[in-house]
Amino acid sequence: MVSAFNDTLGESIPAHTPHAVSVSLPTWQANVGYEEGQEWVVSKMQTGYPRRFFIHKSIQKLADGIIAAYGDPAADKALLLPTNACAMRCKDFIHRENPTVDQCQIRIVNLVPQPELAALRPIDEVLPHISAVLFPAELWPSAKAFWQHTGEGVQSRRAEFCQRAFDDKFLVDQSTVAPLAPKLAKGPRRYQRTLSVDFNGTNGCNGHATEQQPQVNGNGIQDLAQFVEERFGRNLNTRFAAQAKLAVRRRIAGSLTENSELPESLNAPVDTERQRNVPEFSIDDVYLYPCGMNAIFNAHRILMAARGPLKSVMYGFPYVDSLKVLEKFGPGALFYGHGDSNDLDDLERRLKAGERFLLLFCEFPGNPLLKSPDLQRIRTLADTYDFAVVIDETIGNFLNVNVLPYADIVVSSLTKIFSGDSNVMGGTLILNPRAPAASYAALKRVLATEYEDNQFEEDAVYLERNSRDFVARIARANANALAIVDVLRAACPSKVKQVYYPRDSPTRAFYDHCRLPNGGYGGLASATFHSVEDAALFYDHLETSKGPSLGTNFTLASPFVLLAHYGELEWAAQYGCEQALVRFSVGLEDSETLVKIFQEALAAVPER
């Protein structure tokens, strides 16, 4: 039995997991308390949902250290990004949101390895580097919005990796680094020893080579190569990370489905069990990102770069940050929150009248109501009126459905069921080489210059290990979800108002059209209760893990609308997303045990 049940408020889910993706909010009132910033909840938060709720403590620690070294701790805050390009986008966004602020008050510090020490590192190891945007503390709301909506911020493992180098003064401000003097001799096979190093970016006192003793933290080092080996010798080996990324991309492409160790698994034939089934599609059309939101943000960004800035269409009730990306990082969005045929009728009228759009974004199926869009009709409109289609397949996942033939770009959060272990983040962007609207060739040209592989190497290693058995896990989650949905439907209408699941949705035909021969209906379901009080009773008595996120190997429940839309509950309700909704990500536990857990929670709800 797989279980991560944890009812300790604020503890990571799974418990005692330093890089956990979820956090325990075990009661309905705890969720309310978190949204309202109540001390009894906030003070107990050991971690949080990384993209929406919480900046990991390791990230905050490094940010504080960088502020102390390069800013004013009393007045500044910092946001950490993986590269200067990401930092530039962050800086531009903060200034755009606060145009009256002098741009000089928003600074970028790029921290890179000391060149002298970097030269001594084994060539196959990962070198730490990080960029920080420093700004007046009052601009934090804009910076946090950028972090939340774009997914550009660093992940916690990268922060810990860079923290060690920062503490040892291995990272320095790039603007202070001077070029190294030419090396006069080769060193040992793995290292080449530089001449004297004073760690201030110069060689010797007069810019000439000397043999003075290197200094780190004011202490002399007798053997610089030995110092590097001892301090950084346990760092990541790039070779293993590269293999892990290749395996992950092949799994996403559908050409690697076996559960085996690296590198043996990479020797499997590339064309076996292709799930995507699009001519000319290859692994070269699969791009990795640090998280799902970053894949969505970059899909929008590269489409604007390839096709020019145009308004977008959000079709169906969205994950909130997906809509914010379209609204805040371009000319805006036309929002169709119901995602039904009436919305497509209206869109078609607008298109016939001459309105033009950059893209239509939709989820397949949607979250949390699990409605499936009519991808055939959407694709026909896109081909007729020349706009791109971007589909988020996170909920359906590519072992259940094949949506690539209807998309120009498919995005997905690998943090969810692809990983399952709730201890690492990742995202992917997939191009359809047969899609006419976005111009595949134009997108490839943009990506050739704009794409940065910012998935941290250690995250890639964890993601690869976690995803080896994803085929079996998805099949089991599908089966368990069906059992739970049947329990909830049996309680309608006496205790449960409505159950949402792709199999039982009025849009099932649209889902089935894309469902693969061996595909199921996914591991996500939702139920709306007759009142908030009933929903709270059920939630408080449900003995599963309870917190944000989905796709975990263990069952995870969440009052989704309350958490995602607490400040806009009436707005969400007009699209069918009521406050009394509880969402379930069904895991891999024993089916009979799960059924009993849900039946006992339903017993606490009064009959209507």
Side-chain angles (χ1 to χ4, degrees):
M1 174 178 173
V2 176
S3 178
F5 178 46
N6 179 14
D7 60 359
T8 303
L9 173 62
E11 175 62 85
S12 65
I13 302 177
H16 312 299
T17 302
H19 303 282
V21 171
S22 191
V23 61
S24 179
L25 294 170
T27 66
W28 192 274
Q29 199 57 41
N31 286 272
V32 174
Y34 176 81
E35 287 296 326
E36 294 181 350
Q38 296 176 14
E39 180 65 18
W40 71 276
V41 177
V42 176
S43 64
K44 293 183 173 63
M45 298 288 285
Q46 298 301 309
T47 185
Y49 188 51
R51 285 269 60 82
R52 297 286 324 284
F53 290 173
F54 195 83
I55 294 182
H56 196 277
K57 291 182 178 180
S58 65
I59 299 173
Q60 192 58 58
K61 177 183 176 182
L62 181 55
D64 291 343
I66 292 173
I67 292 170
Y70 299 100
D72 181 355
D76 291 340
K77 290 189 76 68
L79 202 65
L80 304 186
L81 295 304
T83 67
N84 181 64
C86 298
M88 287 294 297
R89 289 192 284 271
C90 178
K91 178 181 178 180
D92 291 344
F93 177 80
I94 294 174
H95 187 256
R96 190 166 68 248
E97 294 286 295
N98 303 274
T100 60
V101 173
D102 188 342
Q103 251 189 322
C104 295
Q105 293 183 271
I106 309 169
R107 300 180 292 113
I108 296 175
V109 177
N110 294 309
L111 296 177
V112 299
Q114 283 274 10
E116 297 84 356
L117 286 179
L120 298 177
R121 297 289 298 281
I123 60 173
D124 57 357
E125 283 187 359
V126 179
L127 289 173
H129 61 86
I130 202 163
S131 296
V133 180
L134 277 66
F135 48 86
E138 59 267 23
L139 303 183
W140 173 246
S142 297
K144 185 176 183 294
F146 181 87
W147 168 78
Q148 176 178 320
H149 302 327
T150 69
E152 294 269 68
V154 301
Q155 309 299 332
S156 53
R157 286 187 181 88
R158 184 192 293 268
E160 290 185 355
F161 181 76
C162 291
Q163 183 75 58
R164 294 191 292 270
F166 183 75
D167 289 344
D168 283 315
K169 303 296 189 291
F170 183 58
L171 289 179
V172 294
D173 184 350
Q174 188 176 39
S175 65
T176 67
V177 174
L180 282 175
K183 295 185 176 80
L184 301 182
K186 292 184 178 179
R189 181 175 64 86
R190 294 186 70 200
Y191 302 100
Q192 287 189 4
R193 188 183 301 271
T194 64
L195 297 175
S196 70
V197 183
D198 64 7
F199 298 102
N200 290 312
T202 61
N203 290 317
C205 300
N206 303 309
H208 300 292
T210 70
E211 292 188 359
Q212 72 178 41
Q213 182 177 325
Q215 300 284 319
V216 172
N217 294 338
N219 299 316
I221 300 174
Q222 298 298 326
D223 188 330
L224 189 54
Q226 180 182 350
F227 167 78
V228 174
E229 180 71 19
E230 290 175 351
R231 294 300 296 169
F232 301 103
R234 292 189 298 273
N235 283 348
L236 289 171
N237 188 302
T238 307
R239 183 176 71 255
F240 300 134
Q243 290 177 352
K245 290 184 180 184
L246 178 59
V248 167
R249 290 171 64 221
R250 286 189 58 187
R251 288 190 182 117
I252 295 165
S255 61
L256 177 58
T257 56
E258 62 181 44
N259 180 4
S260 58
E261 298 282 337
L262 291 178
E264 289 78 9
S265 61
L266 295 175
N267 296 326
V270 171
D271 290 325
T272 58
E273 301 186 52
R274 291 173 63 116
Q275 303 291 332
R276 300 293 179 179
N277 194 28
V278 172
E280 290 99 47
F281 175 75
S282 76
I283 191 175
D284 292 334
D285 297 316
V286 178
Y287 297 82
L288 297 181
Y289 288 89
C291 63
M293 272 314 306
N294 198 231
I296 292 169
F297 170 72
N298 277 286
H300 181 238
R301 190 171 71 86
I302 65 170
L303 278 166
M304 286 199 300
R307 297 170 57 82
L310 289 169
K311 184 178 285 190
S312 298
V313 176
M314 173 62 74
Y315 180 76
F317 193 81
Y319 182 62
V320 61
D321 292 314
S322 301
L323 177 58
K324 296 301 183 184
V325 164
L326 303 185
E327 291 177 336
K328 293 188 176 185
F329 295 90
L334 175 63
F335 176 49
Y336 288 117
H338 294 288
D340 57 19
S341 59
N342 292 329
D343 286 343
L344 286 182
D345 290 343
D346 183 76
L347 175 60
E348 188 168 10
R349 284 192 293 269
R350 289 171 178 267
L351 292 166
K352 286 180 177 179
E355 287 191 55
R356 291 295 175 263
F357 299 95
L358 174 68
L359 65 90
L360 180 147
F361 183 95
C362 62
E363 299 173 358
F364 194 93
N367 175 23
L369 302 182
L370 287 308
K371 293 163 62 177
S372 301
D374 184 351
L375 295 185
Q376 285 181 293
R377 185 178 178 190
I378 289 171
R379 184 72 257 172
T380 299
L381 289 173
D383 292 342
T384 304
Y385 296 102
D386 190 33
F387 60 84
V389 179
V390 180
I391 303 174
D392 185 342
E393 70 173 10
T394 301
I395 307 301
N397 82 69
F398 67 89
L399 288 184
N400 288 327
V401 295
N402 181 23
V403 300
L404 185 60
Y406 303 98
D408 296 83
I409 298 175
V410 171
V411 294
S412 184
S413 171
L414 305 179
T415 309
K416 309 304 192 297
I417 198 165
F418 185 82
S419 168
D421 276 342
S422 190
N423 64 359
V424 66
M425 301 183 73
T428 185
L429 179 154
I430 306 161
L431 298 183
N432 179 1
R434 282 294 184 96
S439 176
Y440 172 77
L443 291 176
K444 292 294 277 190
R445 285 194 297 270
V446 172
L447 284 164
T449 58
E450 290 289 317
Y451 176 68
E452 293 182 310
D453 180 1
N454 288 330
Q455 185 183 50
F456 183 52
E457 284 76 4
E458 191 175 6
D459 287 336
V461 170
Y462 274 84
L463 191 60
E464 188 279 323
R465 290 173 182 167
N466 293 353
S467 62
R468 288 177 186 172
D469 61 347
F470 78 120
V471 175
R473 288 190 290 104
I474 287 172
R476 185 169 179 83
N478 288 344
N480 277 352
L482 287 173
I484 296 308
V485 167
D486 287 343
V487 169
L488 293 168
R489 285 180 60 81
C492 289
S494 60
K495 296 192 175 190
V496 177
K497 180 179 178 181
Q498 190 167 354
V499 179
Y500 304 95
Y501 191 61
R503 182 198 65 178
D504 305 321
S505 172
T507 63
R508 173 176 174 170
F510 300 143
Y511 186 97
D512 282 345
H513 181 79
C514 297
R515 185 162 62 94
L516 291 165
N518 295 321
Y521 292 94
L524 195 70
S526 300
T528 300
F529 291 81
H530 291 288
S531 68
V532 173
E533 292 75 20
D534 286 358
L537 278 170
F538 174 84
Y539 184 83
D540 290 353
H541 284 82
L542 187 66
E543 292 194 357
T544 67
S545 291
K546 288 174 272 189
S549 196
L550 59 92
T552 48
N553 291 337
F554 46 87
T555 298
L556 185 63
S558 171
F560 177 79
V561 179
L562 183 74
L563 271 183
H565 302 285
Y566 190 74
E568 50 189 16
L569 292 173
E570 291 184 7
W571 172 83
Q574 66 181 307
Y575 299 107
C577 295
E578 301 177 30
Q579 184 178 354
L581 180 144
V582 181
R583 189 188 71 183
F584 319 98
S585 175
V586 183
L588 310 182
E589 297 94 339
D590 174 73
S591 294
E592 292 184 4
T593 302
L594 269 180
V595 166
K596 183 177 180 181
I597 288 171
F598 274 76
Q599 288 174 335
E600 289 177 350
L602 284 168
V605 180
E607 299 243 358
R608 295 286 174 178

mmCIF file of all heavy atoms in Angstrom, residues 312-318 323 326 334-345 347 359-363 366 372-375 377-378 510:
data_model
loop_
_atom_site.group_PDB
_atom_site.id
_atom_site.type_symbol
_atom_site.label_atom_id
_atom_site.label_comp_id
_atom_site.label_asym_id
_atom_site.label_seq_id
_atom_site.Cartn_x
_atom_site.Cartn_y
_atom_site.Cartn_z
ATOM 1 N N SER A 312 -4.828 36.715 -27.067
ATOM 2 C CA SER A 312 -5.009 35.272 -27.029
ATOM 3 C C SER A 312 -6.412 34.915 -26.558
ATOM 4 O O SER A 312 -7.175 35.778 -26.105
ATOM 5 C CB SER A 312 -3.974 34.636 -26.084
ATOM 6 O OG SER A 312 -2.665 34.868 -26.539
ATOM 7 N N VAL A 313 -6.744 33.634 -26.671
ATOM 8 C CA VAL A 313 -8.025 33.112 -26.207
ATOM 9 C C VAL A 313 -7.762 32.065 -25.134
ATOM 10 O O VAL A 313 -6.978 31.142 -25.336
ATOM 11 C CB VAL A 313 -8.818 32.467 -27.363
ATOM 12 C CG1 VAL A 313 -10.108 31.833 -26.841
ATOM 13 C CG2 VAL A 313 -9.120 33.492 -28.445
ATOM 14 N N MET A 314 -8.395 32.222 -23.979
ATOM 15 C CA MET A 314 -8.382 31.198 -22.942
ATOM 16 C C MET A 314 -9.730 30.495 -22.987
ATOM 17 O O MET A 314 -10.766 31.100 -22.708
ATOM 18 C CB MET A 314 -8.145 31.808 -21.560
ATOM 19 C CG MET A 314 -8.296 30.829 -20.407
ATOM 20 S SD MET A 314 -7.119 29.462 -20.447
ATOM 21 C CE MET A 314 -5.616 30.299 -19.948
ATOM 22 N N TYR A 315 -9.713 29.218 -23.360
ATOM 23 C CA TYR A 315 -10.962 28.476 -23.544
ATOM 24 C C TYR A 315 -11.109 27.453 -22.424
ATOM 25 O O TYR A 315 -10.298 26.535 -22.282
ATOM 26 C CB TYR A 315 -10.956 27.781 -24.906
ATOM 27 C CG TYR A 315 -12.208 26.989 -25.195
ATOM 28 C CD1 TYR A 315 -13.387 27.633 -25.560
ATOM 29 C CD2 TYR A 315 -12.210 25.606 -25.092
ATOM 30 C CE1 TYR A 315 -14.540 26.916 -25.823
ATOM 31 C CE2 TYR A 315 -13.358 24.874 -25.355
ATOM 32 C CZ TYR A 315 -14.518 25.533 -25.714
ATOM 33 O OH TYR A 315 -15.666 24.814 -25.968
ATOM 34 N N GLY A 316 -12.142 27.616 -21.627
ATOM 35 C CA GLY A 316 -12.391 26.742 -20.485
ATOM 36 C C GLY A 316 -11.840 27.347 -19.210
ATOM 37 O O GLY A 316 -10.945 28.190 -19.219
ATOM 38 N N PHE A 317 -12.411 26.895 -18.074
ATOM 39 C CA PHE A 317 -11.966 27.419 -16.787
ATOM 40 C C PHE A 317 -10.532 26.970 -16.557
ATOM 41 O O PHE A 317 -10.225 25.783 -16.551
ATOM 42 C CB PHE A 317 -12.861 26.915 -15.661
ATOM 43 C CG PHE A 317 -12.662 27.650 -14.375
ATOM 44 C CD1 PHE A 317 -13.268 28.874 -14.158
ATOM 45 C CD2 PHE A 317 -11.845 27.133 -13.388
ATOM 46 C CE1 PHE A 317 -13.077 29.568 -12.965
ATOM 47 C CE2 PHE A 317 -11.649 27.811 -12.199
ATOM 48 C CZ PHE A 317 -12.264 29.032 -11.984
ATOM 49 N N PRO A 318 -9.618 27.926 -16.336
ATOM 50 C CA PRO A 318 -8.199 27.587 -16.382
ATOM 51 C C PRO A 318 -7.547 27.467 -15.012
ATOM 52 O O PRO A 318 -8.086 27.907 -13.994
ATOM 53 C CB PRO A 318 -7.620 28.810 -17.089
ATOM 54 C CG PRO A 318 -8.443 29.945 -16.506
ATOM 55 C CD PRO A 318 -9.827 29.380 -16.245
ATOM 56 N N LEU A 323 -4.064 31.808 -17.183
ATOM 57 C CA LEU A 323 -4.789 32.983 -17.642
ATOM 58 C C LEU A 323 -3.983 34.254 -17.383
ATOM 59 O O LEU A 323 -3.935 35.158 -18.231
ATOM 60 C CB LEU A 323 -6.148 33.068 -16.939
ATOM 61 C CG LEU A 323 -7.013 34.284 -17.263
ATOM 62 C CD1 LEU A 323 -7.298 34.385 -18.755
ATOM 63 C CD2 LEU A 323 -8.314 34.238 -16.460
ATOM 64 N N LEU A 326 -1.379 34.997 -20.094
ATOM 65 C CA LEU A 326 -1.942 35.593 -21.306
ATOM 66 C C LEU A 326 -2.340 37.044 -21.087
ATOM 67 O O LEU A 326 -2.213 37.872 -21.999
ATOM 68 C CB LEU A 326 -3.160 34.791 -21.768
ATOM 69 C CG LEU A 326 -2.940 33.295 -22.038
ATOM 70 C CD1 LEU A 326 -4.219 32.680 -22.595
ATOM 71 C CD2 LEU A 326 -1.781 33.065 -22.979
ATOM 72 N N LEU A 334 -9.003 36.959 -24.390
ATOM 73 C CA LEU A 334 -10.447 36.784 -24.432
ATOM 74 C C LEU A 334 -10.739 35.512 -23.655
ATOM 75 O O LEU A 334 -10.252 34.432 -24.016
ATOM 76 C CB LEU A 334 -10.918 36.672 -25.889
ATOM 77 C CG LEU A 334 -12.400 36.375 -26.123
ATOM 78 C CD1 LEU A 334 -13.281 37.508 -25.588
ATOM 79 C CD2 LEU A 334 -12.648 36.161 -27.624
ATOM 80 N N PHE A 335 -11.517 35.614 -22.590
ATOM 81 C CA PHE A 335 -11.707 34.495 -21.667
ATOM 82 C C PHE A 335 -13.079 33.865 -21.854
ATOM 83 O O PHE A 335 -14.103 34.539 -21.730
ATOM 84 C CB PHE A 335 -11.540 34.991 -20.228
ATOM 85 C CG PHE A 335 -11.814 33.936 -19.185
ATOM 86 C CD1 PHE A 335 -11.237 32.688 -19.273
ATOM 87 C CD2 PHE A 335 -12.655 34.205 -18.109
ATOM 88 C CE1 PHE A 335 -11.480 31.709 -18.314
ATOM 89 C CE2 PHE A 335 -12.911 33.250 -17.145
ATOM 90 C CZ PHE A 335 -12.316 31.990 -17.247
ATOM 91 N N TYR A 336 -13.091 32.573 -22.165
ATOM 92 C CA TYR A 336 -14.325 31.795 -22.251
ATOM 93 C C TYR A 336 -14.303 30.773 -21.113
ATOM 94 O O TYR A 336 -13.781 29.669 -21.249
ATOM 95 C CB TYR A 336 -14.413 31.081 -23.594
ATOM 96 C CG TYR A 336 -14.681 31.985 -24.773
ATOM 97 C CD1 TYR A 336 -13.751 32.116 -25.800
ATOM 98 C CD2 TYR A 336 -15.875 32.705 -24.870
ATOM 99 C CE1 TYR A 336 -13.999 32.928 -26.892
ATOM 100 C CE2 TYR A 336 -16.134 33.531 -25.949
ATOM 101 C CZ TYR A 336 -15.187 33.638 -26.962
ATOM 102 O OH TYR A 336 -15.432 34.454 -28.041
ATOM 103 N N GLY A 337 -14.890 31.136 -19.991
ATOM 104 C CA GLY A 337 -14.782 30.326 -18.789
ATOM 105 C C GLY A 337 -15.618 29.065 -18.778
ATOM 106 O O GLY A 337 -15.301 28.124 -18.047
ATOM 107 N N HIS A 338 -16.686 29.011 -19.583
ATOM 108 C CA HIS A 338 -17.514 27.810 -19.603
ATOM 109 C C HIS A 338 -16.905 26.734 -20.490
ATOM 110 O O HIS A 338 -17.077 25.540 -20.236
ATOM 111 C CB HIS A 338 -18.926 28.143 -20.073
ATOM 112 C CG HIS A 338 -19.675 29.033 -19.137
ATOM 113 N ND1 HIS A 338 -20.149 28.601 -17.920
ATOM 114 C CD2 HIS A 338 -20.026 30.348 -19.233
ATOM 115 C CE1 HIS A 338 -20.778 29.596 -17.297
ATOM 116 N NE2 HIS A 338 -20.706 30.671 -18.071
ATOM 117 N N GLY A 339 -16.212 27.130 -21.535
ATOM 118 C CA GLY A 339 -15.592 26.162 -22.424
ATOM 119 C C GLY A 339 -16.593 25.244 -23.095
ATOM 120 O O GLY A 339 -16.357 24.040 -23.221
ATOM 121 N N ASP A 340 -17.715 25.798 -23.563
ATOM 122 C CA ASP A 340 -18.753 24.983 -24.194
ATOM 123 C C ASP A 340 -18.959 25.402 -25.640
ATOM 124 O O ASP A 340 -18.244 26.264 -26.174
ATOM 125 C CB ASP A 340 -20.057 25.075 -23.399
ATOM 126 C CG ASP A 340 -20.562 26.509 -23.229
ATOM 127 O OD1 ASP A 340 -20.125 27.397 -23.998
ATOM 128 O OD2 ASP A 340 -21.389 26.743 -22.327
ATOM 129 N N SER A 341 -19.961 24.808 -26.284
ATOM 130 C CA SER A 341 -20.208 25.098 -27.696
ATOM 131 C C SER A 341 -20.653 26.536 -27.910
ATOM 132 O O SER A 341 -20.364 27.136 -28.959
ATOM 133 C CB SER A 341 -21.250 24.134 -28.252
ATOM 134 O OG SER A 341 -22.477 24.235 -27.539
ATOM 135 N N ASN A 342 -21.363 27.104 -26.933
ATOM 136 C CA ASN A 342 -21.768 28.508 -27.066
ATOM 137 C C ASN A 342 -20.551 29.426 -27.129
ATOM 138 O O ASN A 342 -20.533 30.409 -27.877
ATOM 139 C CB ASN A 342 -22.663 28.920 -25.897
ATOM 140 C CG ASN A 342 -24.003 28.226 -25.916
ATOM 141 O OD1 ASN A 342 -24.527 27.908 -26.988
ATOM 142 N ND2 ASN A 342 -24.574 27.977 -24.747
ATOM 143 N N ASP A 343 -19.525 29.099 -26.337
ATOM 144 C CA ASP A 343 -18.298 29.896 -26.375
ATOM 145 C C ASP A 343 -17.615 29.771 -27.738
ATOM 146 O O ASP A 343 -17.120 30.764 -28.287
ATOM 147 C CB ASP A 343 -17.339 29.433 -25.275
ATOM 148 C CG ASP A 343 -17.784 29.885 -23.891
ATOM 149 O OD1 ASP A 343 -18.623 30.792 -23.806
ATOM 150 O OD2 ASP A 343 -17.280 29.323 -22.898
ATOM 151 N N LEU A 344 -17.586 28.572 -28.297
ATOM 152 C CA LEU A 344 -16.981 28.409 -29.623
ATOM 153 C C LEU A 344 -17.810 29.101 -30.700
ATOM 154 O O LEU A 344 -17.252 29.627 -31.675
ATOM 155 C CB LEU A 344 -16.815 26.928 -29.949
ATOM 156 C CG LEU A 344 -15.687 26.197 -29.213
ATOM 157 C CD1 LEU A 344 -15.607 24.741 -29.663
ATOM 158 C CD2 LEU A 344 -14.349 26.881 -29.423
ATOM 159 N N ASP A 345 -19.131 29.110 -30.525
ATOM 160 C CA ASP A 345 -19.979 29.850 -31.473
ATOM 161 C C ASP A 345 -19.626 31.333 -31.454
ATOM 162 O O ASP A 345 -19.516 31.974 -32.511
ATOM 163 C CB ASP A 345 -21.455 29.672 -31.123
ATOM 164 C CG ASP A 345 -21.967 28.267 -31.397
ATOM 165 O OD1 ASP A 345 -21.298 27.529 -32.144
ATOM 166 O OD2 ASP A 345 -23.035 27.912 -30.847
ATOM 167 N N LEU A 347 -16.777 32.681 -30.470
ATOM 168 C CA LEU A 347 -15.451 32.846 -31.042
ATOM 169 C C LEU A 347 -15.513 32.821 -32.564
ATOM 170 O O LEU A 347 -14.876 33.642 -33.241
ATOM 171 C CB LEU A 347 -14.519 31.744 -30.536
ATOM 172 C CG LEU A 347 -13.105 31.719 -31.141
ATOM 173 C CD1 LEU A 347 -12.365 33.017 -30.856
ATOM 174 C CD2 LEU A 347 -12.326 30.521 -30.629
ATOM 175 N N LEU A 359 -3.276 32.803 -30.212
ATOM 176 C CA LEU A 359 -3.409 31.405 -29.834
ATOM 177 C C LEU A 359 -4.690 31.182 -29.063
ATOM 178 O O LEU A 359 -5.296 32.117 -28.524
ATOM 179 C CB LEU A 359 -2.209 30.955 -28.988
ATOM 180 C CG LEU A 359 -2.027 31.608 -27.611
ATOM 181 C CD1 LEU A 359 -2.762 30.839 -26.501
ATOM 182 C CD2 LEU A 359 -0.553 31.691 -27.239
ATOM 183 N N LEU A 360 -5.106 29.940 -29.033
ATOM 184 C CA LEU A 360 -6.153 29.488 -28.116
ATOM 185 C C LEU A 360 -5.498 28.500 -27.161
ATOM 186 O O LEU A 360 -4.870 27.528 -27.597
ATOM 187 C CB LEU A 360 -7.309 28.833 -28.871
ATOM 188 C CG LEU A 360 -8.469 28.312 -28.008
ATOM 189 C CD1 LEU A 360 -9.805 28.449 -28.743
ATOM 190 C CD2 LEU A 360 -8.279 26.849 -27.574
ATOM 191 N N PHE A 361 -5.666 28.748 -25.879
ATOM 192 C CA PHE A 361 -5.107 27.871 -24.842
ATOM 193 C C PHE A 361 -6.243 27.118 -24.174
ATOM 194 O O PHE A 361 -7.263 27.700 -23.795
ATOM 195 C CB PHE A 361 -4.350 28.693 -23.804
ATOM 196 C CG PHE A 361 -3.685 27.863 -22.732
ATOM 197 C CD1 PHE A 361 -2.357 27.490 -22.862
ATOM 198 C CD2 PHE A 361 -4.382 27.434 -21.614
ATOM 199 C CE1 PHE A 361 -1.736 26.710 -21.890
ATOM 200 C CE2 PHE A 361 -3.778 26.662 -20.640
ATOM 201 C CZ PHE A 361 -2.444 26.298 -20.780
ATOM 202 N N CYS A 362 -6.066 25.808 -24.006
ATOM 203 C CA CYS A 362 -7.059 25.024 -23.282
ATOM 204 C C CYS A 362 -6.367 23.876 -22.556
ATOM 205 O O CYS A 362 -5.233 23.506 -22.880
ATOM 206 C CB CYS A 362 -8.140 24.487 -24.222
ATOM 207 S SG CYS A 362 -7.531 23.362 -25.506
ATOM 208 N N GLU A 363 -7.054 23.320 -21.578
ATOM 209 C CA GLU A 363 -6.594 22.143 -20.861
ATOM 210 C C GLU A 363 -7.409 20.939 -21.302
ATOM 211 O O GLU A 363 -8.596 21.073 -21.638
ATOM 212 C CB GLU A 363 -6.738 22.353 -19.350
ATOM 213 C CG GLU A 363 -5.923 23.524 -18.820
ATOM 214 C CD GLU A 363 -6.205 23.824 -17.353
ATOM 215 O OE1 GLU A 363 -7.075 23.144 -16.757
ATOM 216 O OE2 GLU A 363 -5.573 24.725 -16.801
ATOM 217 N N GLY A 366 -10.191 19.829 -18.433
ATOM 218 C CA GLY A 366 -10.013 20.995 -17.582
ATOM 219 C C GLY A 366 -9.931 20.634 -16.113
ATOM 220 O O GLY A 366 -10.241 19.512 -15.697
ATOM 221 N N SER A 372 -13.941 18.296 -21.194
ATOM 222 C CA SER A 372 -13.001 18.169 -22.305
ATOM 223 C C SER A 372 -13.432 19.075 -23.460
ATOM 224 O O SER A 372 -14.597 19.042 -23.874
ATOM 225 C CB SER A 372 -12.940 16.718 -22.791
ATOM 226 O OG SER A 372 -12.541 15.857 -21.746
ATOM 227 N N PRO A 373 -12.523 19.862 -23.990
ATOM 228 C CA PRO A 373 -12.859 20.737 -25.112
ATOM 229 C C PRO A 373 -13.023 19.955 -26.413
ATOM 230 O O PRO A 373 -12.463 18.859 -26.576
ATOM 231 C CB PRO A 373 -11.664 21.697 -25.185
ATOM 232 C CG PRO A 373 -10.542 20.952 -24.562
ATOM 233 C CD PRO A 373 -11.145 20.075 -23.516
ATOM 234 N N ASP A 374 -13.761 20.530 -27.332
ATOM 235 C CA ASP A 374 -13.974 19.947 -28.661
ATOM 236 C C ASP A 374 -12.760 20.281 -29.525
ATOM 237 O O ASP A 374 -12.742 21.290 -30.239
ATOM 238 C CB ASP A 374 -15.259 20.504 -29.264
ATOM 239 C CG ASP A 374 -15.605 19.874 -30.609
ATOM 240 O OD1 ASP A 374 -14.772 19.127 -31.156
ATOM 241 O OD2 ASP A 374 -16.709 20.162 -31.121
ATOM 242 N N LEU A 375 -11.734 19.438 -29.444
ATOM 243 C CA LEU A 375 -10.487 19.746 -30.133
ATOM 244 C C LEU A 375 -10.630 19.696 -31.650
ATOM 245 O O LEU A 375 -9.925 20.425 -32.367
ATOM 246 C CB LEU A 375 -9.384 18.787 -29.678
ATOM 247 C CG LEU A 375 -8.951 18.888 -28.211
ATOM 248 C CD1 LEU A 375 -7.761 17.966 -27.946
ATOM 249 C CD2 LEU A 375 -8.601 20.322 -27.825
ATOM 250 N N ARG A 377 -13.196 20.724 -33.480
ATOM 251 C CA ARG A 377 -13.741 22.009 -33.936
ATOM 252 C C ARG A 377 -12.728 23.125 -33.729
ATOM 253 O O ARG A 377 -12.571 24.001 -34.582
ATOM 254 C CB ARG A 377 -15.039 22.322 -33.196
ATOM 255 C CG ARG A 377 -15.708 23.592 -33.728
ATOM 256 C CD ARG A 377 -17.014 23.887 -33.034
ATOM 257 N NE ARG A 377 -17.577 25.137 -33.546
ATOM 258 C CZ ARG A 377 -18.613 25.774 -33.004
ATOM 259 N NH1 ARG A 377 -19.222 25.240 -31.942
ATOM 260 N NH2 ARG A 377 -19.038 26.919 -33.505
ATOM 261 N N ILE A 378 -12.024 23.091 -32.615
ATOM 262 C CA ILE A 378 -11.004 24.115 -32.342
ATOM 263 C C ILE A 378 -9.916 24.073 -33.411
ATOM 264 O O ILE A 378 -9.476 25.107 -33.918
ATOM 265 C CB ILE A 378 -10.421 23.916 -30.929
ATOM 266 C CG1 ILE A 378 -11.452 24.301 -29.868
ATOM 267 C CG2 ILE A 378 -9.144 24.745 -30.751
ATOM 268 C CD1 ILE A 378 -11.054 23.929 -28.460
ATOM 269 N N PHE A 510 -15.874 14.035 -26.502
ATOM 270 C CA PHE A 510 -14.663 14.757 -26.917
ATOM 271 C C PHE A 510 -13.418 14.106 -26.314
ATOM 272 O O PHE A 510 -12.378 14.035 -26.962
ATOM 273 C CB PHE A 510 -14.747 16.223 -26.482
ATOM 274 C CG PHE A 510 -15.909 16.969 -27.071
ATOM 275 C CD1 PHE A 510 -16.599 17.916 -26.321
ATOM 276 C CD2 PHE A 510 -16.330 16.728 -28.365
ATOM 277 C CE1 PHE A 510 -17.665 18.608 -26.851
ATOM 278 C CE2 PHE A 510 -17.411 17.418 -28.904
ATOM 279 C CZ PHE A 510 -18.083 18.352 -28.147
#
